[in-house]
């Protein structure tokens, strides 16, 4: 079956007639049941074929008369699609956008009553070109809104402002919606009451809300998540504004992926890190995540001066990490101003983590927990000699497979990094504990003295390792 499917895909991509490959393959395909022919077509096309390109069901329908009958008679082939609107500086802008409106009507008609999954992506223009042409994204969305009762998976990436009330539409019904992504510069704040009150949050399993100019607050995201009790995947950028301090914790039992980007308002100046991190910790303490696999936290606030979070707040963060440590397998921390001691205590709570990313500033003067103390704490204890090289009496991250570090590097030494690597590659008794990948990006040279060791680790230990200095 796989060989047959591969042969058919080659026919599609080359645009050749089936008969040109000889009667044997043609006869074989003709003898297949119509259900199997249809399933092969569904497997042969991309997940989101572009309606503006000769691909997906469009090219299938042009191979031969029999294939056209199958393609037009299979609504599911037309129910998933993508629309990529070019930048206003593109010569084909008007033609492509007008074609997109025309073709979208055709695809929607041919999909009949099947659930719709689509991507609408608007390429970001240069500033002086923003108002030269009509907003075709709004035209396409207006057409798609007429069929909102069939929306299933929706991805919107828009730069143009659609008007403060564009999303506020009492006639929109979304009974099939399961996944929603909105990445836009358009104002979402006026539409927030509609988002919270009108969307069927109980059936949403994937959610991404990214807005660079009109960001949701922690209060608003908390209100959304309190309704999305079946959510599995969540990504959002928020500002640290929290007034809802709940005493009863909210459980999200199906959530396996959480990515939060904490940032300032665009017009806001430097902030007090202690106030905002306290609000952020209070937000995290509102939840229970019994099945969380991936946690990614990005701290993008401009602070008055580089300041580590207080020990009291640090203890709260450690307690939160302890609560999710029994299931967490991927942990990514970007710029959160915690000390190396607090970070090491957090990592101690994560026995199942296989992927770790710690990203901090490549410039001097910022908070940076990637130090010799941290690296010594991550030394895997296999012998008494390694116990001397370690700052911990127990193995931290024993299942670690992939690690990515980004740091200025002034607080790291070649010796500490080498000891960390040797403990997780040389003469490992348990293959489950062998490190497979390391990327160490610094602002100053750290590993120069041990460059000769890199080739040995690559060849002898099979480690994918790189140490780069960014000037």
């Amino acid at each position: 079956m796989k060989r047959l499917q591969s042969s058919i895909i080659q026919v599609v991509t080359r645009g050749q007639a089936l008969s040109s490959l000889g009667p044997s393959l043609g006869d074989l395909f003709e003898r297949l049941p119509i259900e199997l022919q249809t399933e092969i077509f569904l497997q042969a096309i991309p997940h989101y074929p572009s309606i503006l390109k000769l691909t997906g069901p469009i090219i299938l329908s042009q191979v031969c008369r029999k294939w056209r009958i199958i393609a037009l008679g299979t609504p599911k082939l037309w129910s998933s699609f993508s629309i990529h609107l070019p930048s206003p500086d593109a010569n084909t802008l008007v033609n492509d956008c007008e074609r997109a409106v025309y073709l979208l009507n055709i695809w929607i008609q041919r999909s009949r009553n099947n659930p719709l999954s689509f991507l609408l992506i608007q390429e970001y223009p240069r500033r002086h070109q923003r108002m030269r042409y009509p907003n075709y994204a709004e035209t396409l969305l207006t057409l798609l809104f007429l069929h909102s009762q069939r929306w299933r998976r929706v991805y919107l990436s828009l730069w143009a402002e659609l008007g403060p009330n564009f999303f506020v539409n009492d006639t929109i019904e979304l009974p099939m919606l399961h996944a929603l992504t909105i990445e836009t510069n358009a104002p979402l704040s006026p539409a927030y009451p509609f988002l919270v009150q009108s969307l069927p949050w109980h059936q949403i399993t994937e959610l991404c809300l990214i807005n660079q100019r009109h960001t949701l607050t922690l209060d608003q995201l908390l209100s959304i998540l309190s309704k999305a009790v079946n959510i599995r995947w969540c990504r959002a950028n928020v500002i640290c504004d929290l007034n809802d301090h709940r005493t009863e914790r909210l459980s999200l039992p199906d959530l396996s992926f959480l990515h939060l980007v904490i940032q300032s308002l665009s017009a806001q100046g430097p902030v007090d890190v202690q106030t905002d991190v306290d609000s952020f910790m209070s937000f995290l303490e509102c939840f229970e995540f019994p099945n969380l696999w991936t946690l990614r936290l990005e701290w993008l606030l401009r602070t008055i001066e580089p300041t580590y979070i207080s020990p009291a707040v640090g203890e709260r963060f450690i307690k939160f990490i302890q609560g999710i440590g029994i299931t967490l397998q991927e942990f990514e921390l970007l710029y959160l101003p915690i000390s190396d001691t607090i970070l090491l205590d957090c990592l101690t709570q994560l026995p199942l983590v296989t992927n770790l990313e710690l990203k901090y500033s490549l410039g001097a003067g910022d908070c940076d927990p990637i130090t010799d103390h941290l690296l010594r704490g991550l030394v895997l204890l296999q012998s008494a000699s390694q116990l001397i090289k370690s700052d911990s009496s127990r193995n931290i991250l024993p299942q670690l497979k992939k690690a990515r570090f980004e740091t200025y590097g002034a607080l790291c030494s070649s010796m500490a990094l080498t000891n960390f690597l040797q403990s997780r590659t040389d003469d490992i008794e348990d293959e489950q504990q062998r490190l497979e990948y390391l990327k160490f990006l610094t602002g100053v040279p750290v590993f120069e003295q041990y460059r000769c060791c890199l080739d040995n680790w690559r060849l002898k230990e099979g480690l994918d390792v790189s140490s780069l200095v960014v000037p």
Side-chain angles (χ1 to χ4, degrees):
M1 176 56 66
K2 290 183 178 180
R3 284 181 294 179
L4 175 60
Q5 182 179 347
S6 176
S7 298
I8 294 176
I9 292 174
Q10 290 180 14
V11 176
V12 173
T13 56
R14 295 174 184 174
Q16 298 175 341
L18 182 61
S19 58
S20 66
L21 294 181
S24 59
L25 182 58
D27 291 343
L28 177 60
F29 185 78
E30 292 294 335
R31 286 195 224 104
L32 293 174
I34 186 64
E35 295 83 5
L36 188 53
Q37 293 177 351
T38 300
E39 184 60 30
I40 291 175
F41 276 20
L42 290 171
Q43 295 297 324
I45 66 172
H47 290 300
Y48 295 96
S50 172
I51 69 172
L52 291 171
K53 296 181 180 179
L54 193 61
T55 184
I58 292 292
I59 197 170
L60 285 173
S61 65
Q62 295 180 5
V63 172
C64 63
R65 182 173 179 274
K66 175 65 180 296
W67 282 32
R68 180 173 179 81
I69 292 174
I70 297 175
L72 295 181
T74 309
K76 193 174 180 179
L77 285 171
W78 308 88
S79 63
S80 297
F81 51 84
S82 65
I83 309 171
H84 191 120
L85 299 180
S87 173
D89 62 343
N91 296 329
T92 59
L93 171 70
V94 174
N95 289 337
D96 282 352
C97 291
E98 291 180 350
R99 282 183 60 235
V101 175
Y102 170 74
L103 292 172
L104 179 58
N105 275 293
I106 294 178
W107 280 64
I108 290 178
Q109 180 182 5
R110 291 178 178 178
S111 68
R112 300 180 190 171
N113 293 321
N114 272 50
L116 296 177
S117 297
F118 61 87
L119 284 67
L120 176 56
I121 301 172
Q122 188 180 35
E123 190 171 327
Y124 200 85
R126 293 196 295 268
R127 181 178 299 274
H128 69 277
Q129 295 171 326
R130 293 186 185 181
M131 301 305 297
R132 286 180 56 187
Y133 299 103
N135 189 351
Y136 288 99
E138 188 167 324
T139 302
L140 292 166
L141 267 179
T142 301
L143 176 58
L144 287 165
F145 271 134
L146 297 176
H147 305 272
S148 61
Q149 71 277 6
R150 292 199 283 141
W151 288 9
R152 185 173 185 84
R153 304 181 65 87
V154 176
Y155 180 101
L156 303 176
S157 179
L158 311 172
W159 61 264
E161 294 193 0
L162 303 177
N165 298 313
F166 187 82
F167 287 104
V168 183
N169 189 334
D170 294 335
T171 64
I172 294 178
E173 297 181 1
L174 302 164
M176 296 185 180
L177 187 64
H178 279 248
L180 175 65
T181 293
I182 301 179
E183 296 184 0
T184 178
N185 281 331
L188 286 182
S189 296
Y192 170 73
F194 162 74
L195 287 174
V196 173
Q197 298 172 16
S198 302
L199 291 185
W201 292 110
H202 65 282
Q203 66 191 41
I204 297 293
T205 58
E206 298 180 21
L207 176 66
C208 177
L209 295 176
I210 300 293
N211 191 295
Q212 300 303 326
R213 292 195 297 157
H214 303 273
T215 310
L216 294 177
T217 67
L218 287 174
D219 272 325
Q220 291 171 333
L221 183 59
L222 177 59
S223 178
I224 289 174
L225 292 179
S226 67
K227 297 176 174 61
V229 293
N230 295 311
I231 194 166
R232 300 175 184 173
W233 193 99
C234 178
R235 177 173 177 252
N237 66 329
V238 291
I239 57 175
C240 283
D241 185 2
L242 183 69
N243 297 308
D244 187 349
H245 297 279
R246 305 190 176 198
T247 56
E248 184 176 348
R249 303 181 72 182
L250 172 67
S251 178
L252 297 177
D254 296 326
L255 187 68
S256 62
F257 179 97
L258 178 62
H259 179 186
L260 297 178
V261 182
I262 314 301
Q263 60 187 62
S264 308
L265 293 172
S266 57
Q268 186 179 3
V271 299
D272 179 11
V273 64
Q274 303 300 341
T275 300
D276 283 332
V277 80
D278 180 72
S279 296
F280 181 51
M281 292 305 161
S282 297
F283 172 82
L284 293 178
E285 290 167 345
C286 290
F287 296 96
E288 292 180 352
F289 305 121
N291 291 296
L292 192 64
W293 280 34
T294 302
L295 177 64
R296 181 181 177 92
L297 301 177
E298 297 187 46
W299 187 264
L300 303 183
L301 294 179
R302 294 176 295 166
T303 57
I304 299 174
E305 61 181 14
T307 306
Y308 290 105
I309 64 175
S310 66
V313 175
E315 289 296 325
R316 293 167 61 188
F317 188 55
I318 294 171
K319 185 177 181 180
F320 166 76
I321 296 297
Q322 183 180 24
I324 62 175
I326 194 172
T327 60
L328 202 68
Q329 298 187 23
E330 297 183 359
F331 184 49
E332 302 174 13
L333 204 59
L334 286 72
Y335 307 112
L336 186 66
I338 62 176
S339 67
D340 53 3
T341 300
I342 293 177
L343 178 55
L344 201 56
D345 286 342
C346 289
L347 299 180
T348 304
Q349 315 299 325
L350 304 175
L352 300 181
V353 162
T354 58
N355 290 2
L356 173 68
E357 180 176 359
L358 301 175
K359 184 175 182 179
Y360 286 84
S361 175
L362 292 169
D366 291 331
C367 297
D368 190 347
I370 304 178
T371 65
D372 274 2
H373 176 56
L374 177 72
L375 293 174
R376 287 195 298 265
L378 294 178
V379 168
L380 199 61
L381 306 179
Q382 300 282 346
S383 64
S385 61
Q386 290 170 338
L387 184 60
I388 298 175
K389 301 174 184 178
S390 175
D391 281 359
S392 175
S393 59
R394 56 181 295 187
N395 280 334
I396 299 176
L397 303 180
Q399 306 297 323
L400 186 63
K401 295 293 185 183
K402 297 181 179 180
R404 295 171 296 278
F405 298 111
E406 190 168 314
T407 173
Y408 178 57
L411 303 177
C412 302
S413 67
S414 297
M415 181 63 73
L417 183 56
T418 301
N419 290 336
F420 162 71
L421 274 173
Q422 287 179 336
S423 73
R424 293 178 179 267
T425 55
D426 296 348
D427 301 323
I428 288 290
E429 298 177 359
D430 186 354
E431 288 298 319
Q432 295 295 324
Q433 297 181 333
R434 181 179 296 277
L435 188 68
E436 298 175 353
Y437 172 89
L438 173 67
K439 185 173 184 179
F440 203 83
L441 192 64
T442 63
V444 297
V446 172
F447 213 62
E448 296 301 318
Q449 300 177 18
Y450 290 84
R451 283 286 172 183
C452 59
C453 299
L454 292 181
D455 290 337
N456 179 63
W457 279 316
R458 292 190 186 106
L459 297 175
K460 180 181 177 182
E461 304 296 339
L463 175 66
D464 183 0
V465 57
S466 59
S467 176
L468 304 175
V469 180
V470 179

